[in-house]
Amino acid sequence: MPLLELNDVRAAYGRLEALHGINIRVETGEIVTIIGANGAGKTTTLNAICGIVRVTNGSILLEGEEIANRSTKDVVRLGLSQVPEGRKLFSELTVAENLEMGAYLRKKGQEMRMDLDYVYELFPRLKERRKQPAGSLSGGEQQMCAIGRAIMAKPRILLLDEPSLGLAPLLVKQIFEIIQRLQRGGATILLVEQNAKMALETAHRAYVMETGRLTMEGEAEDLLNDPSIQNAYLGGGE
Amino acid sequence: MDLNQLTNQTVNALTIGGIYALIAVGYTMVYGIIKLINFAHGEIYMAGAFAGILLIGVGVPLYLALPASMVICAFLGIMIDWAAYKPLRRSPRLAALITAIGMSLFLQNLAMLIWSANHRNFPDLYPARAVQAQGEKAEENGPAFLDALEERLSMPMPDAEAKVKKLKREEDQLIVEFPLATGGAETRRVISSEANALLNEMKAENPDLGLEKPSIGPSLRHFLHKPAVSIPIGKNPVDIPWKILLIWATTALFTVALEALVKRTRVGIAMRACSLDQETAALMGIDVNRIIALTFAIGSAMAAAAGILFGLYLGVGINFRMGYQPGFLAFSAAVLGGIGNIRGAILGGFIFGIVETISRAYIADWLEISSRYSLAFAFAILILVILIRPTGILGSSAAERA
C-alpha cells in the first residue's frame, strides 16, 4: 500500500476549481517531487492534502485512511507535516520555541528530546541560535528551522513546499543535501519545487504539473533526460 | 509636601493601577490573537464583581468566591466570543468591532434588567457585634447577664430574622457573629430583642438588678479591613489594611503566573504562535479556535478578579455601568503599553493608576480645577506617548504589522 495516495483529486477555492483530477502516489521511503511553473497548482495540492483547501472530488489516502477534507489538526495527528512555502516561521518566537511548536501534538518526553537532538545534529546552527528569535536568522537558517520544525512532528511523510525559494545557490545545494540525508534516515518526502533541476536530481520519482493537471510522471532520472522537460523546465537542454 | 498624603496616594495608585493592569491584560491578549478590541471586556469585569458579591452574599467565603467568579467569567468570555465574534472571524474587522460595542451595551442592559440600576455595596465580610452590659451595677451583674445572653442566643431561634453563627464571651463583652451577608440592621434587631427579653426576665427575679439595655456595638471589622502595616511617616502613621496587601498579592500572583504561562508553557507558546500567524499555527496541529477560546477565558478570569478586588477595595459602587470607565482606561493602558504585549498592558495599567491618582490628589488642586478632570490627564499622557511612539511603550513591530 502506498504511504500517500491521491486519486482523481479535484480541489477548489470557492467556486474556482484549481485541481482538475490528479493522481499521485508516494511509497514509504521515497522522495517524490512535483515540478511545475508558478501557479500550476503545486501548493494547492499540498494544501488539499493538509485540509486547508476544500477537496471536491476523489480521495486522499494516508496508509489507506481517508484524509480528504479532514481538519488540519487531524491530518497532522495522523502523521503528515508540511514545510510551508516561504518557511512561515513564527518570527518572534525563538528557534527552540518554533521547534517546540512543530511537536505541538506530541507528548513531551524522552522521544521528543531525541528528535530535538537529531534536529540540532542535522542543523548545528540552530542549536547555536536556539534562543534567538527565528526572524533574526538568515534565509538559509530559517529554511533549516522550518524543516527542523516539521521533523519535530515525527511525521510519516514530510511535505516540502519550495524549500529552495529565495536562497543563494550554495544554500540551495545544502538544502537538497539535507533532504537526501533525511530520506536516508528513513523519511518519506513529497517535494514541490520550481527548481526542476535540483528537484529531479534529488528525487526518485517525479510528476509534472501544469494548470491544475499532471502532464507527465516517471522516474526522476528519465524526466531529467526528457527533451520536452529540458526545454520547458531546465533551460532548454544545456 | 505632606508625606502622609503622599504615602496614602502611592498606596491608592498601586492598588488602582493593579486593578487596571488585570483588566488591561485581557484587552491586550484578545487583541494579540484576533486583532479585535473586545469592548465587552469591561462588562466581564462588571460581571465578575457581581458574581463575587452574589456568591459572598449566599455565604461563600471570599477565598472561594474569587476563583469561582473567575471560572464563571471565563465561561462568559468564551460564550461572548462564540456568540458574537466567532461568526465574524472572516468578516472585515470593523464588523467585529461594532459587534463588540453592541455586545458591551447588551451586557450592560442585561445586567440592569437582572440586578436593577442600583448601586450595591460589597458585602460585609464579618457581620458581628460586640454586646456590653450597661447600668449602675454593670460591673457586678454584667458578667452574669452576658453569660445568660450567650446561652439564650445559642438556643435555636426559629422566628429570628437572622441566625447567630458564633458566640464568643470575652471579659466584659459578648461577640455575636452572624453568617456572611447578614444585614447590619437585622443583627441589631435580633440581639436587642433577645437582650430585652432577657433583661425583663432577670428584672422580674431581681428588681434590684441595676442593668439597662446593653450597648450593641457597631458591626465589627473583618481582619481584611484592619491595618496590617503601619508606616511611621508624617503626623499620623499611614495604615495599610490587609485588603490592600491582598489586592497587591493577588495582582502580583496573577500577572506573574500569566507571564509564566505565556512564556514557558507549550500552550502559552501556541498562543503567541497563533497571534503571529494562525494559518501556520494550524499547520502545526494547533487547534486555533481552542487557543482563541482559552485566550478569552484567561483574559476574562483576570477581569473578574479585578472586579472583585475593586469591590473589596472601595466597598461600594457595584452596578451595571461600573465596567464602562475602567474598561476604557484599561483599554487605553493596553494601548499605552503597546497593544498585544502583556507586559506592556501591566505597565500601562500601573502608569494610568499613578497618573490618575496624582492628578486627582495634586494637579487638580494646584490648577484649582475639579479632581474629576483627573482622567483628562491620564488620556493626555496616552496621547503624548502615542504621538512619540505609535506602537506604545513596549510595542514592537507586531502592532505595525497587524
Side-chain angles (χ1 to χ4, degrees), chain B residues 29 70 79 88 107 109 114 116 122 144 228 231 238 243 298 309 332 343 348 381 387 389:
Chain B
M29 287 172 78
M70 290 172 73
M79 289 301 292
L88 297 172
L107 290 173
N109 285 282
I114 300 175
S116 88
F122 199 77
I231 303 172
V238 175
K243 66 176 178 183
I298 294 173
L309 294 179
S332 308
R343 282 185 196 181
I381 296 276
L387 278 175
R389 254 188 89 85

Side-chain angles (χ1 to χ4, degrees), chain A residues 53-218:
Chain A
V53 179
R54 194 167 51 91
V55 175
T56 52
N57 181 59
S59 66
I60 302 176
L61 303 173
L62 184 68
E63 278 191 328
E65 187 169 351
E66 179 65 65
I67 60 167
N69 291 330
R70 300 271 296 261
S71 74
T72 308
K73 185 184 165 187
D74 285 354
V75 174
V76 174
R77 198 186 285 283
L78 286 169
L80 201 140
S81 98
Q82 188 186 150
V83 181
E85 184 180 346
R87 309 182 269 271
K88 297 283 173 62
L89 290 177
F90 301 113
S91 57
E92 286 173 31
L93 302 191
T94 65
V95 170
E97 285 170 340
N98 268 281
L99 295 177
E100 164 125 27
M101 284 299 96
Y104 184 73
L105 291 175
R106 295 176 61 189
K107 281 203 186 82
K108 283 189 182 181
Q110 183 66 25
E111 221 184 315
M112 204 188 111
R113 272 233 65 86
M114 278 168 59
D115 285 341
L116 189 63
D117 289 342
Y118 176 60
V119 169
Y120 283 148
E121 189 197 314
L122 274 176
F123 309 113
R125 292 299 289 260
L126 294 186
K127 189 171 188 180
E128 286 167 31
R129 302 184 174 226
R130 64 185 181 279
K131 286 184 178 158
Q132 284 183 24
S136 71
L137 300 179
S138 72
E141 289 164 347
Q142 288 196 10
Q143 189 60 60
M144 291 172 192
C145 188
I147 294 173
R149 184 175 67 178
I151 295 173
M152 288 303 291
K154 207 175 180 60
R156 287 195 276 180
I157 179 166
L158 194 59
L159 312 184
L160 291 167
D161 195 353
E162 306 272 9
S164 73
L165 196 75
L167 296 185
L170 200 67
L171 283 169
V172 172
K173 209 163 155 256
Q174 214 181 330
I175 293 291
F176 278 100
E177 277 165 16
I178 286 159
I179 293 169
Q180 281 178 323
R181 209 173 141 191
L182 288 174
Q183 183 266 333
R184 285 198 298 274
T188 307
I189 293 162
L190 177 60
L191 169 70
V192 156
E193 257 299 341
Q194 277 191 66
N195 187 335
K197 184 163 182 291
M198 289 301 293
L200 291 174
E201 281 173 3
T202 309
H204 300 107
R205 287 188 308 106
Y207 295 85
V208 181
M209 192 167 225
E210 275 171 33
T211 58
R213 288 186 176 82
L214 294 176
T215 52
M216 280 181 91
E217 64 173 282

Side-chain angles (χ1 to χ4, degrees), chain B residues 221-240:
Chain B
R221 291 156 91 200
H222 190 260
F223 87 92
L224 281 173
H225 299 287
K226 289 181 184 163
V229 186
S230 194
I231 303 172
I233 207 165
K235 281 165 271 170
N236 316 304
V238 175
D239 290 333
I240 302 179

Side-chain angles (χ1 to χ4, degrees), chain B residues 288-308:
Chain B
V288 177
N289 277 322
R290 188 177 288 181
I291 295 290
I292 292 172
L294 183 71
T295 306
F296 269 92
I298 294 173
S300 303
M302 297 286 162
I308 296 182

Side-chain angles (χ1 to χ4, degrees), chain B residues 62-293:
Chain B
L62 179 65
Y63 61 86
L64 290 180
L66 179 73
S69 310
M70 290 172 73
V71 170
I72 291 169
C73 284
F75 277 106
L76 178 65
I78 294 173
M79 289 301 292
I80 290 172
D81 173 49
W82 176 79
Y85 308 145
K86 203 175 168 192
L88 297 172
R89 212 75 96 202
R90 285 169 209 287
S91 314
R93 273 209 249 160
L94 200 56
L97 198 70
I98 296 291
T99 306
I101 293 171
M103 183 46 98
S104 163
L105 293 172
F106 168 74
L107 290 173
Q108 277 185 33
N109 285 282
L110 185 68
M112 186 177 71
L113 276 177
I114 300 175
W115 296 307
S116 88
N118 296 332
H119 280 261
R120 295 189 186 208
N121 297 340
F122 199 77
D124 192 351
L125 290 174
Y126 185 49
R129 288 175 182 274
V131 184
Q132 274 176 322
Q134 299 278 317
E136 55 206 51
K137 291 190 181 167
E139 265 180 53
E140 189 185 327
N141 294 332
F145 169 73
L146 291 178
D147 287 342
L149 185 61
E150 182 183 12
E151 199 181 329
R152 202 180 169 99
L153 285 170
S154 67
M155 301 288 189
M157 292 179 287
D159 298 334
E161 281 179 87
K163 272 203 177 77
V164 175
K165 187 177 151 201
K166 224 165 102 186
L167 293 157
K168 206 162 81 191
R169 182 74 175 81
E170 284 171 5
E171 201 90 337
D172 63 339
Q173 59 183 7
L174 175 68
I175 309 287
V176 188
E177 199 184 319
F178 291 83
L180 268 176
T182 309
E186 294 147 49
T187 63
R188 177 176 287 278
R189 280 199 292 269
V190 169
I191 296 171
S192 78
S193 79
E194 292 301 316
N196 287 343
L198 177 65
L199 207 55
N200 289 338
E201 283 173 23
M202 286 175 84
K203 273 184 178 159
E205 268 176 40
N206 176 10
D208 192 24
L209 189 65
L211 290 180
E212 301 161 16
K213 281 184 187 173
S215 84
I216 302 171
S219 198
L220 293 179
R221 291 156 91 200
H222 190 260
F223 87 92
L224 281 173
H225 299 287
K226 289 181 184 163
V229 186
S230 194
I231 303 172
I233 207 165
K235 281 165 271 170
N236 316 304
V238 175
D239 290 333
I240 302 179
W242 284 104
K243 66 176 178 183
I244 297 291
L245 296 190
L246 177 75
I247 293 170
W248 290 352
T250 315
T251 311
L253 175 76
F254 285 154
T255 48
V256 169
L258 182 66
E259 180 79 12
L261 173 90
V262 170
K263 283 275 185 273
R264 308 227 180 280
T265 68
R266 184 179 278 186
V267 151
I269 301 171
M271 287 168 94
R272 284 186 286 144
C274 286
S275 78
L276 291 166
D277 181 350
Q278 290 189 14
E279 223 171 275
T280 308
L283 218 46
M284 303 293 110
I286 296 171
D287 187 336
V288 177
N289 277 322
R290 188 177 288 181
I291 295 290
I292 292 172

